[in-house]
């Protein structure tokens, strides 16, 4: 093997489309050492891939040395307890802000998982001890400060407008006498945010020979195609005497929509007499946290709560549901599949005086998606076939993802883009977006799509596609030899009890050696 190939890494992604974000990286050093790490460890939210959440992890969890989390969304961190249960021994690195928020999301995922397990009469994927262990491994990092993960790998978290606490992660991997490997994970990316200022990465980062792993959720459209009509829609519906139900993600969207309503009140486009409610325990917890956030207070945007606002819980939900008064209700979940959303929808979809507003992405097959595409005028909720009478509107203006032109603008800032890896998008979107990046980002030497293949990449950008999806994390050879020695020793003692277990599940049992 030539010098250029002695130091390289392999990268693969577990997510086939948008949710279930997880990148696995294996670094091979010239001295035969190997380091495995993961960036994000999310759960699948598309119904199509739901069963993958319960599937045995296609690698040995104890071979992963560390995990980095870009932000606090379930599709980027929801499966962490499952990884811990599987034997992962390392730390979970994320920003200080994400570290503060993540325990809430993990506890919520735990609750949902246990409810689902009970409903499906199966064993939950992990228990409370795994949850507590996961929380105890969270290791907060400061934005912009270098974190040494081991003697060869350093990570830096940079601000990202996608969400409060969200980051892009720069990994710099070095070995004496070799070129550095620089790898940037955008996570879910947005250049700015309504609630806080986003500080840019320092200019030297843009000068590094770089491989960028980017998302592409909205890779099919440009910012110029976004039409801002949510305020008009709300104003119109209120004039028509309608009650408005707005689906929100617990963190980010809920607070941003409250901010929008507050600004409508300020400009007298919305009467302060209309009560505004927020339902969803997690959304309420995040809202309280945001209100006391140092980062948000620093930028003087923490006051996002409109007038005549209240929280809905079990005690007052029935009264809100039965109220004849016109009102605006924000409820979780964002795709309307979980949380209190279904309770409202069961009685609201058949009401002509209701506007259901979905201000964000909904995966195919989720209830949010089905409401936008009713079959012959019907929609099924909790097994009940209901006539779709309510008005359903959606907008892309609140999206917390960059559009194609914004990502391209971002990529163009890199002086020496060795490779762009496109991920986190629907299959066709990834393909189209990849073509566009190839055409428009002149500095990008090469563009590839992640999701179906593993790529072997050298610091110089030499890239090789490793056939189909390979998720075979190797461990340090020396360590392995030591293990073998102790194993042989044990084997002699206890041969009868040794059962040969299959190493990998069938679906992903591929090897390339
Ligand atoms: Zn996200
Ligand atoms: Zn995401």
């Amino acid at each position: 093997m030539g010098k250029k190939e002695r130091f390289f890494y392999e990268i693969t992604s577990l997510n086939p489309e948008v949710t279930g974000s997880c990148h696995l990286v294996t670094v091979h050093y010239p001295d035969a050492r190997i380091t495995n790490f993961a960036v994000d460890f999310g759960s699948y939210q598309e119904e199509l891939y739901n069963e993958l959440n319960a599937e045995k992890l296609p690698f040995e969890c104890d071979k992963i040395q560390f995990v980095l989390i870009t932000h606090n969304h379930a599709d980027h961190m929801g499966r962490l307890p499952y990884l811990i249960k599987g034997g992962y021994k390392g730390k979970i690195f994320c920003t200080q802000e994400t570290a503060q928020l993540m325990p809430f999301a993990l506890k919520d995922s735990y609750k949902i998982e246990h409810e689902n397990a009970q409903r499906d009469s199966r064993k939950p994927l992990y228990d409370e001890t795994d949850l507590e262990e996961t929380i105890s491994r969270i290791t907060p990092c400061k934005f912009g400060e270098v974190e040494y993960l081991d003697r060869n790998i350093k990570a830096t978290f940079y601000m990202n407008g996608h969400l409060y606490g969200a980051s892009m992660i720069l990994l710099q991997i070095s070995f004496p006498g070799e070129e550095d490997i620089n790898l940037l994970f955008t996570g879910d990316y947005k250049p700015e945010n309504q609630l806080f200022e986003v500080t840019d990465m320092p200019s030297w980062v843009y000068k590094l020979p770089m491989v960028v792993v980017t998302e592409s959720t909205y890779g099919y459209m440009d910012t110029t195609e976004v039409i801002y009509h949510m305020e008009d829609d709300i104003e119109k519906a209120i004039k028509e005497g309608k009650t408005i139900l707005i689906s929100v993600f617990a963190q980010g969207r809920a607070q941003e929509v409250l901010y929008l309503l507050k600004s409508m009140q300020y400009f007298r486009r919305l009467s302060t007499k209309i009560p505004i409610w927020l339902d969803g325990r997690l959304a309420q917890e995040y809202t309280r946290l945001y209100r006391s956030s140092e980062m948000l207070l620093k930028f003087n945007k923490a006051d996002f709560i409109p007038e005549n606002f209240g929280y809905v819980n079990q005690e007052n939900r029935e009264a809100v549901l039965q109220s004849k008064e016109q009102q605006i209700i924000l409820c979780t979940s964002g795709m309307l599949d979980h949380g209190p959303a279904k309770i409202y929808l069961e009685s609201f979809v058949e009401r002509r005086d209701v506007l259901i507003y979905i201000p964000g992405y909904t995966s195919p097959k989720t209830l949010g998606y089905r409401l936008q595409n009713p079959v012959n005028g019907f929609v099924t909720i909790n097994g009940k076939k209901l006539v779709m009478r309510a008005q359903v509107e959606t907008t892309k203006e609140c999206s917390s993802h960059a559009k194609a032109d914004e990502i391209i603008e971002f990529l163009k800032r890199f002086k020496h883009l060795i490779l762009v890896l496109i991920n986190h998008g629907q299959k066709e979107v990834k393909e189209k977006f990849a073509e566009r990046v190839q055409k428009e980002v002149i500095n990008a030497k090469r563009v590839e799509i992640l999701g179906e293949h593993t790529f072997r990449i050298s610091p110089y950008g030499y890239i090789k596609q490793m056939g189909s999806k390979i998720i075979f994390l190797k461990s340090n050879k020396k360590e392995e030899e030591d293990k073998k020695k102790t194993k042989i020793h044990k084997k002699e003692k206890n041969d009868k009890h040794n059962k040969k277990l299959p190493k990998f599940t069938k679906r992903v049992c591929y090897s390339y050696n």
Side-chain angles (χ1 to χ4, degrees):
M1 209 181 250
K3 196 184 173 193
K4 283 178 192 176
E5 290 168 67
R6 291 189 308 146
F7 182 37
F8 62 90
Y9 61 102
E10 282 151 351
I11 180 167
T12 194
S13 157
L14 285 190
N15 60 332
E17 295 201 359
V18 176
T19 68
S21 197
C22 176
H23 300 96
L24 296 169
V25 182
T26 301
V27 185
H28 296 251
Y29 294 100
D31 62 0
R33 275 185 310 118
I34 277 166
T35 300
N36 301 307
F37 63 87
V39 176
D40 286 339
F41 215 83
S43 39
Y44 298 93
Q45 289 166 328
E46 287 109 333
E47 211 176 285
L48 188 65
Y49 305 115
N50 232 339
E51 59 184 47
L52 295 184
N53 285 325
E55 198 159 276
K56 190 175 178 292
L57 291 172
F59 49 81
E60 290 163 51
C61 303
D62 61 344
K63 296 227 169 98
I64 294 184
Q65 272 94 339
F66 41 82
V67 175
L68 302 121
I69 298 294
T70 57
H71 67 288
N72 186 44
H73 269 159
D75 64 316
H76 292 256
M77 42 59 74
R79 285 217 294 171
L80 282 171
Y82 197 38
L83 181 71
I84 298 276
K85 191 192 169 81
Y88 172 59
K89 301 277 186 297
K91 291 178 178 175
I92 297 161
F93 295 94
C94 61
T95 65
Q96 279 180 334
E97 290 75 11
T98 300
Q100 208 187 354
L101 301 161
M102 208 149 57
F104 293 99
L106 285 166
K107 283 176 194 163
D108 193 65
S109 296
Y110 170 79
K111 210 178 131 234
I112 292 172
E113 168 54 19
H114 277 245
E115 281 167 8
N116 289 350
Q118 216 167 19
R119 185 197 61 203
D120 305 338
S121 329
R122 60 166 172 87
K123 260 182 93 177
L125 293 176
Y126 56 89
D127 56 34
E128 209 169 341
T129 0
D130 305 313
L131 168 74
E132 278 160 18
E133 187 58 34
T134 309
I135 293 172
S136 76
R137 301 278 185 90
I138 297 173
T139 310
C141 307
K142 271 191 179 167
F143 274 119
E145 282 187 13
V146 174
E147 192 74 32
Y148 289 88
L149 304 177
D150 63 18
R151 66 187 150 113
N152 300 91
I153 307 181
K154 50 186 187 178
T156 318
F157 292 80
Y158 289 109
M159 274 183 99
N160 180 343
H162 175 65
L163 192 74
Y164 170 69
S167 59
M168 291 195 271
I169 305 176
L170 171 69
L171 287 154
Q172 292 169 279
I173 312 169
S174 58
F175 191 86
E178 300 283 345
E179 284 288 321
D180 280 4
I181 288 169
N182 303 300
L183 195 52
L184 183 84
F185 290 86
T186 66
D188 287 353
Y189 172 70
K190 188 153 193 209
E192 76 281 330
N193 190 291
Q194 278 184 306
L195 300 179
F196 59 91
E197 303 287 338
V198 181
T199 315
D200 193 8
M201 294 193 293
S203 56
W204 60 263
V205 176
Y206 293 101
K207 291 175 189 151
L208 295 172
M210 187 70 77
V211 173
V212 177
V213 181
T214 179
E215 69 132 320
S216 59
T217 318
Y218 284 94
Y220 60 91
M221 69 182 292
D222 277 347
T223 37
T224 47
E225 292 167 60
V226 183
I227 304 161
Y228 291 87
H229 53 89
M230 187 165 172
E231 292 187 21
D232 295 341
D233 293 341
I234 290 172
E235 199 176 10
K236 187 169 169 268
I238 292 294
K239 270 187 196 148
E240 289 168 357
K242 284 179 178 167
T243 274
I244 307 172
L245 181 77
I246 308 175
S247 68
V248 289
F249 293 107
Q251 195 201 336
R253 188 60 42 78
Q255 296 77 27
E256 282 162 23
V257 172
L258 286 175
Y259 187 64
L260 177 132
L261 296 172
K262 185 190 169 86
S263 93
M264 285 183 73
Q265 286 179 342
Y266 179 84
F267 290 107
R268 301 190 191 284
R269 296 189 70 182
L270 177 67
S271 162
T272 51
K273 286 190 185 119
I274 310 271
I276 297 167
W277 301 104
L278 176 64
D279 198 346
R281 197 181 41 82
L282 191 58
Q284 295 174 1
E285 275 174 283
Y286 285 138
T287 302
R288 289 191 188 101
L289 231 131
Y290 267 52
R291 293 179 83 174
S292 61
S293 147
E294 262 177 53
M295 183 170 130
L296 296 183
L297 287 171
K298 199 169 127 193
F299 295 107
N300 205 18
K301 287 183 175 179
D303 186 17
F304 54 88
I305 301 293
E307 278 183 55
N308 203 356
F309 168 74
Y311 293 121
V312 185
N313 48 41
Q314 284 193 332
E315 278 102 67
N316 62 347
R317 188 178 293 130
E318 201 47 39
V320 173
L321 260 169
Q322 300 307 329
S323 170
K324 297 275 174 282
E325 213 186 339
Q326 220 183 346
Q327 46 193 351
I328 298 175
I329 306 156
L330 279 64
C331 74
T332 54
S333 66
M335 301 194 199
L336 296 154
D337 262 345
H338 303 284
K342 282 185 185 174
I343 307 173
Y344 290 97
L345 288 168
E346 255 196 67
S347 62
F348 279 12
V349 289
E350 297 202 310
R351 276 175 54 179
R352 280 187 209 285
D353 64 338
V354 166
L355 165 66
I356 300 164
Y357 215 90
I358 307 172
Y361 173 80
T362 48
S363 299
K365 288 200 173 182
T366 56
L367 180 53
Y369 184 87
R370 297 204 312 272
L371 285 169
Q372 293 167 64
N373 305 279
V375 181
N376 302 323
F378 288 97
V379 67
T380 306
I381 301 171
N382 289 334
K384 286 180 205 157
K385 198 175 172 187
L386 303 166
V387 187
M388 192 71 216
R389 291 199 186 94
Q391 180 193 351
V392 178
E393 290 293 340
T394 174
T395 178
K396 292 188 172 73
E397 73 197 82
C398 301
S399 164
S400 44
H401 292 268
K403 306 295 176 288
D405 55 331
E406 288 172 302
I407 302 174
I408 285 171
E409 221 37 62
F410 172 66
L411 294 173
K412 276 183 181 171
R413 300 178 64 186
F414 291 88
K415 302 281 174 285
H416 188 181
L417 258 184
I418 292 174
L419 170 70
V420 180
L421 291 168
I422 314 274
N423 199 25
H424 197 289
Q426 283 171 355
K427 200 171 173 282
E428 326 76 70
V429 176
K430 284 197 274 194
E431 284 161 10
K432 264 201 182 146
F433 184 59
E435 266 174 47
R436 216 179 131 179
V437 172
Q438 191 91 70
K439 236 185 262 165
E440 294 181 32
V441 186
I442 306 153
N443 285 342
K445 272 200 198 158
R446 193 162 170 176
V447 183
E448 292 287 349
I449 295 162
L450 260 184
E452 275 165 48
H453 306 285
T454 293
F455 294 103
R456 176 177 286 189
I457 306 161
S458 79
Y460 303 90
Y462 173 76
I463 174 170
K464 198 171 166 193
Q465 190 173 303
M466 307 302 293
S468 64
K469 196 168 203 156
I470 303 147
I471 310 158
F472 180 30
L473 297 180
K474 293 173 215 166
S475 59
N476 193 321
K477 271 186 190 164
K478 277 180 201 159
E479 198 185 291
E480 197 84 314
E481 274 160 22
D482 290 347
K483 263 191 197 170
K484 262 186 206 163
K485 278 180 202 162
T486 40
K487 263 187 198 164
I488 291 166
H489 189 66
K490 273 186 191 168
K491 199 176 175 308
E492 285 164 357
K493 274 188 167 180
N494 236 331
D495 216 8
K496 274 185 212 165
H497 305 287
N498 270 335
K499 276 183 194 169
K500 261 202 169 172
L501 290 169
K503 233 178 178 180
F504 304 102
T505 54
K506 204 177 155 200
R507 195 178 66 88
V508 279
C509 180
Y510 307 108
S511 172
Y512 48 84
N513 276 341

